[in-house]
Amino acid sequence: MAENTPDRVDMEKIVSLCRRRGIIFPSSEIYGGLSSCWDYGPLGVEIKRNVKEAWWRAMVQERDDVIGVDASILMHPRVWEASGHLEGFSDPLVECKGCHQRWRSDELEGDRCPSCGGELTEPRQFNMMFKTFMGPVEDDASVVYLRPETAQGMFVNFENVLNTTRKRLPFGIAQIGKAFRNEITTGNFIFRSREFELMEMEYFVKPGTDEEWFEYWLEERQNWYINLGIKKEHLRLREHETEELSHYSRRTVDINYLYPMGWAELEGVANRGDFDLSQHASFSGKEISYFDEGTSEHIVPYVVEPAVGVDRIVLAFLCEAYDEEPDKDDIRVVLRFHPDLAPVKVAVLPLSRREPLVEMAKDIYAGLRKCWSVAYDDAQSVGRRYRRQDETGTPLCVTVDFQSLEDNQVTIRERDSMNQIRVPVSELQNTLAAKLAGEDLFVLPPGGQVWLEAEKG
Ligand code: ATP
């Protein structure tokens, strides 16, 4: 993973911006933090929701062959026997005989402890599922697991979904939800944590068409990132070697992203064959199959699965959007987020805190909030307020000045170009909607004009 990435932003800059602007905090920070757990703050939660909504829109809402579920995190323990996770969901762990730190042996370069150079133990398999107990008695019979993936919630509901929706192959079931993995080593900010959110889609197909669908989904998923602003050259595919395939997989390709620490897995697309449905049929004793009307046969579909962690996407979009440019004697930090991902879409900035300007600005603010997440900022100079919005990626600012009181017009200022136009308040909402949907700033509404006033520092 370690590789020189000269054109990439430093991870420290991203972590510090996230901390400073309320995007992401360490979990339980007042107690010193909890290793590898993170809390999303007021702006972070909006970014995360936007990522999930963009995924759901593309994977479920805009398609008629995919439907969603929301299964519980705790599942019958037999699920994890059938899925192979009890047996096989483990990483090779080694411990340093000197400092007792633990490491994943497959991630180590060399055979000594990276921390103190000490001798390491032989690797042993460490199961990554979190265990807990259901009910008041803590014995073997009450052990349950926090799910390490959401996929099983879709496999065990296959018959329920089929019987209630009458979907025909090929069709998919999608889910977004928390997953937990007791990772041996964590790190790189939110890249690898022990509690994270997964977005998975199980696409059920006729055996024999799986390779074709695999290619289809690999392409679709790359396009999704590119359409939301990831540069094509920052994505790379990595085919898994046969020896490294997960126990359920016939083929896996990772979509890797060029993070600040180097190329690393963003998303995985796997061909799970009929492994999961067959295992659940055999462990539950229930028939799980699909009746093919064409051939009048019961078949067990194959599954193609795009699976991705929300947090890894958030980190990728943060890194991709981060930019710095010279600004007089200073540096302008801009998050060049796609408007769909920006935590705040529009900021309303009154030029002064005096009435009746404030009343007009607050009216505009109240109206726009019905459509989008909107900020109101009246502290310090307007130049500073623009910079604050730039730093968190707000695509458009609306400035209300003294002239607005007379001509009922306001200025719209665009984040990336810093260009401005002036539009009648009656045209404001439609104009903002068009710009957020990608229309060029200089396409003017009736009564609108290009505004040449320079930004006030
Ligand atoms: P890795 O090799 O990085 O441990 P994996 O191959 O075990 O990941 P999968 O089981 O394919 O990961 O999980 C699907 C997706 O879930 C990954 O592509 C990644 O986006 C996300 N993911 C997996 N583990 C974590 C984690 N510990 N923290 C955050 N996201 C994760």
Side-chain angles (χ1 to χ4, degrees), residues 432-450:
L432 292 172
K435 307 305 172 207
L436 289 171
E439 186 185 71
D440 189 275
L441 184 73
F442 291 137
V443 174
L444 298 170
Q449 54 183 305
V450 174

Side-chain angles (χ1 to χ4, degrees), residues 89 91 104 107 128 148-149 181 183 186 190-198 200 240 246 248 252 254-255 259 265-268 305 307-313:
F89 191 61
D91 276 339
R104 249 176 84 168
E107 286 188 343
M128 288 191 289
E149 62 174 27
R181 295 183 185 181
E183 302 274 2
T186 56
I190 52 172
F191 178 81
R192 187 184 302 285
S193 47
R194 295 196 170 102
E195 172 179 343
F196 57 98
E197 219 165 346
L198 266 178
E200 297 187 294
H240 282 216
S246 308
Y248 52 74
T252 298
D254 291 343
I255 302 175
Y259 287 98
E265 177 177 342
L266 170 59
E267 169 156 354
E305 173 201 73
V308 62
V310 180
D311 314 79
R312 279 196 195 176
I313 298 186

Side-chain angles (χ1 to χ4, degrees), residues 58-309:
M59 301 296 277
V60 182
Q61 189 186 316
E62 290 176 0
R63 304 187 61 102
D64 63 8
D65 56 350
V66 181
I67 55 260
V69 295
D70 184 14
S72 64
I73 288 175
L74 300 175
M75 301 181 76
H76 195 289
R78 292 273 286 166
V79 166
W80 306 112
E81 275 178 57
S83 71
H85 282 80
L86 263 183
E87 269 288 287
F89 191 61
S90 43
D91 276 339
L93 175 147
V94 289
E95 187 173 326
C96 173
K97 291 179 180 168
C99 70
H100 297 290
Q101 279 208 63
R102 293 174 168 192
W103 308 94
R104 249 176 84 168
S105 65
D106 58 338
E107 286 188 343
L108 290 183
E109 285 166 15
D111 55 1
R112 310 294 293 187
C113 171
S115 181
C116 73
E119 194 187 336
L120 297 169
T121 59
E122 282 300 305
R124 69 176 169 87
Q125 289 303 316
F126 171 78
N127 193 295
M128 288 191 289
M129 281 201 293
F130 277 95
K131 255 189 213 173
T132 186
F133 300 96
M134 196 150 205
V137 182
E138 295 192 2
D139 60 11
D140 285 352
S142 62
V143 168
V144 287
Y145 300 90
L146 302 187
R147 66 180 177 198
E149 62 174 27
T150 65
Q152 299 306 323
M154 296 179 266
F155 297 131
V156 300
N157 277 303
F158 177 78
E159 289 280 324
N160 285 340
V161 172
L162 199 58
N163 294 337
T164 50
T165 63
R166 311 193 144 271
K167 286 279 171 205
R168 316 306 308 159
L169 288 184
F171 73 92
I173 310 181
Q175 173 164 215
I176 301 179
K178 284 273 172 128
F180 303 82
R181 295 183 185 181
N182 201 1
E183 302 274 2
I184 297 167
T185 46
T186 56
N188 288 320
F189 195 29
I190 52 172
F191 178 81
R192 187 184 302 285
S193 47
R194 295 196 170 102
E195 172 179 343
F196 57 98
E197 219 165 346
L198 266 178
M199 306 196 285
E200 297 187 294
M201 199 274 289
E202 309 307 320
Y203 199 71
F204 300 96
V205 304
K206 283 188 188 160
T209 64
D210 46 313
E211 266 305 310
E212 224 172 283
W213 282 110
F214 188 96
E215 295 299 334
Y216 169 86
W217 281 110
L218 199 55
E219 184 80 21
E220 280 288 294
R221 295 303 304 143
Q222 290 175 84
N223 289 339
W224 185 81
Y225 291 107
I226 292 165
N227 291 337
L228 284 171
I230 300 266
K231 288 200 192 79
K232 214 172 172 179
E233 57 270 28
H234 290 165
L235 293 176
R236 191 192 265 181
L237 298 182
R238 191 183 76 83
E239 180 94 35
H240 282 216
E241 306 286 338
T242 316
E243 318 72 74
E244 62 169 321
L245 285 175
S246 308
H247 60 275
Y248 52 74
S249 180
R250 302 166 71 90
R251 181 181 176 200
T252 298
V253 174
D254 291 343
I255 302 175
N256 286 0
Y257 174 72
L258 186 57
Y259 287 98
M261 68 281 186
W263 290 99
E265 177 177 342
L266 170 59
E267 169 156 354
V269 178
N271 180 347
R272 299 178 75 127
D274 61 2
F275 177 84
D276 301 273
L277 292 182
S278 302
Q279 285 287 101
H280 286 304
S282 130
F283 277 68
S284 67
K286 305 270 171 8
E287 182 172 341
I288 303 179
S289 66
Y290 173 87
F291 183 67
D292 186 340
E293 279 160 355
T295 59
S296 295
E297 274 176 342
H298 284 272
I299 56 168
V300 181
Y302 275 20
V303 179
V304 175
E305 173 201 73
V308 62

Side-chain angles (χ1 to χ4, degrees), residues 12-46:
E12 294 77 55
K13 285 193 178 167
I14 298 292
V15 176
S16 135
L17 175 69
C18 287
R19 179 77 196 78
R20 193 168 72 245
R21 298 307 310 274
I23 299 174
I24 297 164
F25 308 118
S27 158
S28 326
E29 196 178 11
I30 58 168
Y31 290 99
L34 178 65
S35 141
S36 76
C37 293
W38 301 92
D39 295 348
Y40 285 76
L43 291 177
V45 73
E46 296 291 340

Side-chain angles (χ1 to χ4, degrees), residues 382-393:
V382 80
R384 287 229 182 155
R385 284 181 262 165
Y386 284 148
R387 296 297 172 273
R388 272 204 291 276
Q389 297 301 328
D390 292 341
E391 201 181 41
T392 54

